[in-house]
């Protein structure tokens, strides 16, 4: 009883509540709520249009706070309405738990403890995805989601699909979301990360009953399709807006330049040649005409060839949106050297034939590849000469010391 009172007092002190969205979970809901109430009475249940006896079960617990509506709207809407209700009640944090019995209330202190060090972070309860009874489709879906989360945010995640989470709803009050179903739990992570909300993880336990006893409202084809569409949109926004925005912010911070200079340019563990190749390769990848895949390809090859990833990443941004028209123009103009009847500018006429379109596209592509190679080699040469003048090559230093 003392322990329960202690945790309840911590929930009160942190202005935190447990939020349980539910839809037709009558078989497990009562046990879940009794488990949670043994830790705190700050409990909010969102009844997402259940058609079973969920309402009767909720009547057993007059101490909980209820959000109810008739039509089922999906988990995303249930969470969003739960967040809004929590803020209206004066809560600053909510810990979300699923109502299907997979989560353990004994992990509430694990997430609650994070508030002692992380006051503005979404903390995800990371599951052990290798444990017994873990459905194979869950493991695949989570790896798939983790990969796209990394592409969209640059953050490596052990588990992006767990519904056991701590949300700083006070820091998310002004955020608007699009998604209404399961894909909301991906959207909220990505868009919060874009807003500067930290994403953290804490280990939790999870229970997966035998296959015949599992109850899931996840519709594999329809919901996976919605998640795929969402990721397509988020990746599009990432490369057209978020990456350029973050890079511009990086350029206008004095500490960014100091970090780049001391940690990457003057780094004694890398040779001048490797640094010069990293800069040149970044510029090459920024110009080469594989729009939409430049950054992903550049970073993958930088890892493969053991280049300086920070320098590759930085100089790959030569093609960020304000520079794109100039890069395209320079590429098209360069392509004139390969086309006998080429022009410096694309023809501004409405009478375009298929042959003319093909020729101009060929001129652009060959010009872009040529420009990428020349600019990359030239940049590598200039950087190598400058480093040779202003920085001692560690390889040469080692050779002299060994003599």
């Amino acid at each position: 009883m003392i322990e329960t009172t202690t945790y309840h007092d911590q929930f009160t002190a942190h202005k935190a509540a447990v939020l349980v969205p539910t839809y037709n979970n009558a078989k497990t809901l009562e046990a879940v709520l009794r488990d949670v109430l043994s830790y705190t009475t700050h409990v909010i249940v969102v009844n997402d249009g259940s058609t079973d006896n969920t309402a009767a079960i909720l009547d057993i617990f007059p101490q909980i706070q209820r959000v109810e509506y008739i039509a089922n709207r999906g988990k995303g809407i249930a969470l969003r309405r739960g967040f809004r209700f929590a803020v209206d009640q004066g809560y600053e944090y909510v810990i979300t738990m699923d109502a299907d019995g997979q989560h353990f209330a004994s992990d509430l202190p694990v997430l609650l403890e994070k508030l002692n060090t992380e006051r503005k972070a979404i903390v995800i309860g990371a599951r052990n995805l290798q444990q017994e009874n873990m459905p194979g489709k869950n493991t695949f879906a989570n790896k798939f989601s983790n990969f796209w989360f990394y592409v969209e945010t640059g953050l490596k995640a052990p588990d992006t699909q767990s519904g056991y989470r701590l949300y700083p709803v006070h820091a998310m009050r002004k955020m608007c979301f699009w998604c209404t179903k399961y894909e909301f739990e991906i959207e909220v992570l990505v868009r919060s990360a874009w807003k500067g909300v930290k994403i953290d993880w804490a280990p939790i336990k999870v229970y997966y009953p035998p296959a015949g006893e599992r109850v899931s409202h996840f519709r594999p084809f329809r919901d996976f399709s919605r998640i795929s569409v969402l990721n397509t949109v988020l990746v599009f926004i990432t490369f057209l807006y978020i990456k350029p925005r973050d890079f511009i912010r990086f350029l206008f911070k004095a500490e960014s330049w100091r970090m780049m200079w001391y940690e990457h340019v003057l780094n004694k563990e890398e040779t001048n040649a490797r640094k010069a190749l990293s800069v040149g390769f970044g510029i090459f990848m920024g110009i080469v005409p594989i729009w939409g895949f430049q950054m992903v390809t550049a970073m993958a090859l930088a890892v493969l060839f053991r280049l300086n990833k920070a320098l590759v990443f930085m100089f790959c941004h030569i093609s960020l949106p304000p520079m794109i028209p100039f890069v395209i123009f320079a590429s098209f103009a360069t392509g004139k050297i390969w086309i006998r009847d080429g022009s410096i500018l694309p023809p501004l006429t409405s009478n375009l034939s298929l042959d003319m379109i093909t020729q101009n596209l060929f001129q652009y592509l060959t010009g872009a590849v040529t420009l990428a190679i020349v600019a990359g080699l030239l940049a590598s040469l200039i950087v190598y000469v400058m480093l040779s003048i202003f920085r001692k090559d560690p390889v040469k230093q080692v050779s002299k010391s060994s003599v």
Side-chain angles (χ1 to χ4, degrees), residues 45-69:
V45 176
V46 180
N47 183 3
D48 183 25
S50 298
T51 56
D52 57 6
N53 62 330
T54 290
I57 293 173
L58 295 179
D59 290 338
I60 301 173
F61 306 99
Q63 65 271 51
I64 66 172
Q65 302 171 77
R66 295 162 64 166
V67 178
E68 298 180 277
Y69 40 92

Side-chain angles (χ1 to χ4, degrees), residues 326-342:
F326 300 101
V327 172
I328 293 176
F329 168 75
S331 298
F332 191 84
T334 303
K336 185 178 183 299
I337 65 177
W338 302 108
I339 305 296
R340 178 178 300 178
D341 300 323

Side-chain angles (χ1 to χ4, degrees), residues 19-23 25 29 44-48 74-75 78-79 96-100 163 185:
L19 174 62
V20 182
T22 184
Y23 171 64
N25 295 118
L29 181 60
I44 302 169
V45 176
V46 180
N47 183 3
D48 183 25
K75 190 176 184 181
L79 289 172
T96 59
M97 285 182 63
D98 292 342
D100 56 7
E185 292 184 302

Side-chain angles (χ1 to χ4, degrees), residues 142-156:
N142 197 61
K143 289 180 178 179
F144 179 85
S145 179
N146 293 350
F147 168 77
W148 287 113
F149 180 72
Y150 175 72
V151 171
E152 292 150 4
T153 66
L155 302 174
K156 292 186 177 181

Side-chain angles (χ1 to χ4, degrees), residues 133-296:
N133 281 339
M134 173 66 71
K137 63 180 181 180
N138 288 42
T139 302
F140 168 78
N142 197 61
K143 289 180 178 179
F144 179 85
S145 179
N146 293 350
F147 168 77
W148 287 113
F149 180 72
Y150 175 72
V151 171
E152 292 150 4
T153 66
L155 302 174
K156 292 186 177 181
D159 188 355
T160 53
Q161 292 198 315
S162 171
Y164 208 155
R165 302 179 178 184
L166 167 66
Y167 287 100
V169 288
H170 69 290
M172 301 164 58
R173 289 192 302 271
K174 297 181 181 180
M175 293 182 65
C176 297
F177 298 99
W178 314 315
C179 299
T180 61
K181 308 293 183 181
Y182 284 98
E183 71 276 10
F184 169 79
E185 292 184 302
I186 296 173
E187 180 198 6
V188 69
L189 291 184
V190 174
R191 296 186 63 196
S192 295
W194 289 350
K195 288 284 187 180
V197 177
K198 183 178 179 181
I199 311 296
D200 202 357
W201 288 267
I204 62 163
K205 302 179 293 294
V206 66
Y207 169 69
Y208 278 101
E213 300 177 15
R214 290 175 192 152
V215 177
S216 175
H217 302 298
F218 185 85
R219 299 159 298 179
F221 178 77
R222 185 177 298 182
D223 288 321
F224 193 76
S225 297
R226 294 172 68 98
I227 291 171
S228 297
V229 170
L230 172 65
N231 278 317
T232 300
V233 173
L234 293 177
V235 168
F236 184 78
I237 294 172
T238 296
F239 288 101
L240 277 185
Y241 173 67
I242 299 299
K243 295 291 185 183
R245 180 204 68 179
D246 292 346
F247 183 67
I248 292 173
R249 289 178 178 177
F250 175 88
L251 292 179
F252 283 92
K253 290 181 180 179
E255 59 270 24
S256 299
W257 288 100
R258 285 195 293 268
M259 180 272 293
M260 183 63 66
W261 179 254
Y262 287 107
E263 295 185 15
H264 298 287
V265 176
L266 298 183
N267 184 347
K268 296 180 180 179
E269 297 179 0
E270 292 180 332
T271 65
N272 292 341
R274 178 168 295 182
K275 291 180 183 298
L277 285 173
S278 299
V279 172
F281 181 71
I283 290 177
F284 169 81
M285 289 304 306
I287 298 175
V288 74
I290 52 171
W291 301 102
F293 298 93
Q294 290 165 310
M295 192 64 64
V296 174

Side-chain angles (χ1 to χ4, degrees), residues 124-135:
I124 304 174
R127 302 162 294 176
N128 177 8
L129 298 178
Q130 307 304 320
Q131 74 177 55
E132 186 179 358
N133 281 339
M134 173 66 71

